[in-house]
């Protein structure tokens, strides 16, 4: 497969971006950019720094949006040109300063959403290298707040996908330090990512990840955990998680990621490269407020259109209509509350959908899986455009 090409139109020195992108498997053009574009050269992706000379920035933007529109990431400083306000679908926004590894994640995610797979030959990280991502579909289960049901949903979603499709499905426990999907899903003891944490990235091979993965006997779901000892958590790097995800994508049709609540680097990486983010919310004021804040951030960084709202314990509290209104997004799926059944299943290490297949909670969880198999996040183009615009700058307070 060809290496994806990216054109970097930077106002400042691009050296750190160029080296990070090349390590991650991209071919980069960063000199004579307008000349290349004016000559009709096509690129898979573009990065346009809006801080440069306005005329040059506008001209470059026009060239990138000619007959064939190049998926473009606009880098914004304090001020940005007017055309940013009118930028249509296809442009994404990132606020400066954007670290080189974050630029790589953003471009990987943009490429995936533009329908191109990343090169499988990309190196699996380097000294401070970043990994390119492979083929399967990644669903990141996330909530900014703990305890709303992420792990319950991730485990049952993964098993439901496996039983519904018989495709290869992998559950990645990325709730580093705290999470342990194996406490609610019994799988044979195996290694985890922690066993690769001190190895050189050259040893993060397919065979190594394969060996670190367990198989759930009842369903055939594959389960890769980060580890079990909270004290080990600092040793799990973003690079290792991304390398695991790259491997997982290349060998599975669906990869479900159970995330840590919050905005740490590892979690942000898992969200940025996801094809879809399932935002788990309970119908309570606190979680709704936290989720609104997350959605605002997601929209600002160009991830708004991959988020789907999944309401857990949906039969109590704030109505679905009010939730959709507060969040500015439709509710894509709801799951009823059923504490007794959830506890029995978890204590047994069995998925709820297997233990209590006829209960409403199980049919609801199966419906969450159908969101994935029926494909994609539907977005109205008007919404998509609106979400990509920087109506409010994030507070760095
Ligand atoms: N629909 C539901 N009905 C009843 N109980 C539920 C439901 N979903 C989850 N629970 C229970 O709520 C508790 C928290 O769920 P879970 O561990 O899945 O949340 P989490 O978001 O992963 O939490 P953490 O942030 O700590 O990882 C568990 O005891 C689980 O059994
Ligand atoms: Mg959890």
């Amino acid at each position: 497969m060809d290496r994806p090409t990216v054109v970097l139109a930077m106002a400042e020195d691009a050296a750190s971006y160029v080296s990070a992108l090349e390590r991650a498997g991209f071919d980069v053009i960063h000199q004579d950019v307008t000349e290349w574009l004016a000559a009709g050269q096509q690129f898979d992706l573009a990065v346009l720094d809006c801080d440069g000379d306005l005329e040059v920035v506008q001209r470059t933007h026009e060239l990138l949006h000619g007959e064939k529109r190049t998926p473009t990431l606009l880098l914004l400083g304090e001020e940005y040109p007017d055309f940013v306000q009118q930028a249509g679908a296809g442009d994404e926004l990132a606020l400066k300063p954007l670290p080189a590894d974050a630029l790589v994640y953003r471009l990987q995610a943009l490429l995936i959403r533009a329908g191109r797979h990343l090169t499988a030959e990309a190196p699996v990280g380097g000294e401070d290298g970043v990994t390119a991502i492979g083929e399967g579909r990644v669903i990141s289960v996330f909530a900014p707040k703990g305890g709303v049901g992420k792990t319950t949903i991730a485990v049952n979603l993964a098993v439901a996908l496996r039983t519904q499709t018989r495709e290869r499905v992998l559950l990645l426990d990325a709730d580093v330090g705290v999470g342990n999907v194996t406490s609610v899903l019994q799988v044979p003891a195996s290694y985890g990512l922690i066993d690769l944490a001190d190895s050189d990235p050259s040893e993060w091979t397919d065979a190594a990840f394969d060996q670190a993965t367990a198989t759930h006997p009842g369903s055939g779901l594959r389960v890769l955990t980060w580890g079990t000892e909270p004290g080990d958590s600092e040793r799990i790097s973003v690079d290792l998680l991304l390398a695991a995800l790259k491997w997982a994508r290349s060998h599975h049709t669906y990869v479900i990621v159970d995330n840590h609540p919050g905005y740490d680097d590892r979690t942000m990486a898992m969200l940025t490269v996801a094809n879809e983010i399932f935002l788990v919310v309970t119908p309570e004021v606190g979680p709704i407020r936290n989720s609104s804040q997350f959605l605002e951030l997601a929209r600002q960084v160009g991830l708004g259109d991959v988020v789907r709202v999944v309401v857990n314990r949906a039969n109590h509290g704030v109505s679905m209509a009010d939730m959709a209104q507060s969040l500015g997004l439709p509710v894509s799926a709801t799951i009823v509350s059923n504490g007794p059944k959830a506890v029995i299943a978890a204590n047994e290490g069995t998925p709820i959908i297997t233990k209590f297949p006829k209960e409403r909670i199980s049919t609801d969880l199966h419906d969450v899986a159908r969101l994935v198999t029926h494909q994609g996040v539907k977005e109205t183009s008007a919404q998509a455009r609106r979400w990509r615009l920087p109506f409010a700058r994030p507070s760095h307070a």
Side-chain angles (χ1 to χ4, degrees):
M1 197 185 292
D2 292 341
R3 286 163 68 94
T5 55
V6 52
V7 58
L8 276 183
M10 294 297 297
E12 296 142 23
D13 180 30
S16 66
Y17 283 177
V18 174
S19 58
L21 285 164
E22 286 179 347
R23 276 201 308 275
F26 290 90
D27 278 340
V28 185
I29 291 288
H30 63 104
Q31 277 160 351
D32 306 323
V33 167
T34 40
E35 286 80 352
W36 279 104
L37 292 170
Q41 180 70 36
Q42 300 287 330
F43 297 93
D44 293 312
L45 296 171
V47 178
L48 174 56
D49 184 349
C50 295
D51 268 348
D53 178 89
L54 186 60
E55 260 181 48
V56 177
V57 169
Q58 268 171 340
R59 169 90 180 118
T60 313
H61 189 257
E62 279 165 24
L63 288 166
L64 288 167
H65 294 68
E67 215 168 293
K68 182 177 175 293
R69 201 182 175 95
T70 310
T72 302
L73 181 68
L74 302 176
L75 297 184
L76 305 180
E78 285 300 317
E79 304 288 332
Y80 36 83
D82 286 346
F83 74 78
V84 173
Q85 293 293 347
Q86 285 108 46
D91 281 349
E92 298 210 358
L93 308 174
L95 300 175
K96 294 169 70 172
L98 185 69
D101 54 356
L103 179 85
V104 174
Y105 309 148
R106 293 298 304 274
L107 291 182
Q108 290 175 339
L110 192 55
L111 199 62
I112 290 165
R113 272 180 260 137
R116 268 216 48 186
H117 297 310
L118 294 176
T119 168
E121 291 78 30
V124 182
E127 229 173 278
D128 55 344
V130 189
T131 317
I133 309 296
E135 308 262 328
R137 194 163 183 79
V138 176
I139 290 91
S140 254
V141 181
F142 175 73
K145 195 165 162 19
V148 293
K150 293 178 301 297
T151 301
T152 305
I153 292 171
V155 165
N156 284 277
L157 165 62
V159 175
L161 275 172
R162 170 74 188 157
T163 31
Q164 285 175 25
T165 67
R166 304 311 295 168
E167 298 280 357
R168 286 173 68 83
V169 184
L170 182 120
L171 175 62
L172 173 61
D173 182 359
D175 186 355
V176 177
V178 189
N180 191 357
V181 295
T182 53
S183 64
V184 295
L185 182 72
Q186 207 169 21
V187 293
S190 71
Y191 298 108
L193 289 178
I194 193 66
D195 297 295
L196 301 173
D198 299 327
S199 320
D200 188 88
S202 62
E203 289 170 38
W204 298 344
T205 58
D206 286 1
F209 285 121
D210 212 46
Q211 202 187 7
T213 303
T215 301
H216 177 239
S219 63
L221 170 71
R222 314 247 295 145
V223 180
L224 177 55
T225 65
W226 65 271
T228 50
E229 294 301 319
D232 287 339
S233 60
E234 285 314 309
R235 290 162 54 211
I236 306 277
S237 63
V238 171
D239 288 350
L240 176 56
L241 278 175
L242 284 167
L245 203 56
K246 180 197 172 195
W247 163 80
R249 286 187 70 111
S250 351
H251 294 89
H252 302 83
T253 310
Y254 300 109
V255 180
I256 308 301
V257 185
D258 184 25
N259 282 293
H260 187 63
Y263 299 105
D264 58 287
D265 287 355
R266 289 180 291 228
T267 306
M268 289 311 288
M270 293 295 99
L271 296 182
T272 310
V273 296
N275 297 90
E276 295 184 53
I277 298 169
F278 282 10
L279 174 64
V280 181
V281 197
T282 48
E284 303 160 89
V285 173
I288 295 172
R289 190 174 301 134
N290 290 320
S291 298
S292 296
Q293 286 165 345
F294 167 69
L295 280 167
E296 191 177 316
L297 174 77
R299 286 163 188 153
Q300 281 165 354
V301 300
L303 290 173
D305 54 338
V306 299
V307 180
R308 287 193 162 212
V309 174
V310 176
V311 180
N312 193 21
R313 304 170 183 268
N315 46 331
H316 301 298
V318 179
S319 75
M320 293 309 104
D322 287 348
M323 284 190 72
Q325 188 166 20
S326 306
L327 297 171
L329 258 189
V331 171
S332 294
T334 58
I335 301 157
V336 292
S337 181
N338 192 336
K341 299 288 189 279
V343 170
I344 293 169
N347 284 349
E348 233 181 61
T350 309
I352 301 172
I353 58 167
T354 316
K355 179 78 183 162
F356 302 108
K358 297 217 157 61
E359 293 286 335
R360 171 71 190 273
I361 189 172
S362 298
T363 50
D364 285 352
L365 287 161
H366 268 290
D367 284 346
V368 176
R370 286 189 190 97
L371 281 181
V372 179
T373 51
H374 291 164
Q375 273 300 311
V377 175
K378 290 271 175 293
E379 51 172 342
T380 68
S381 52
Q383 266 178 334
R385 263 177 229 129
R386 187 147 41 84
W387 293 345
R388 289 194 179 103
L389 296 178
F391 286 118
R393 301 186 62 81
S395 83
H396 296 290

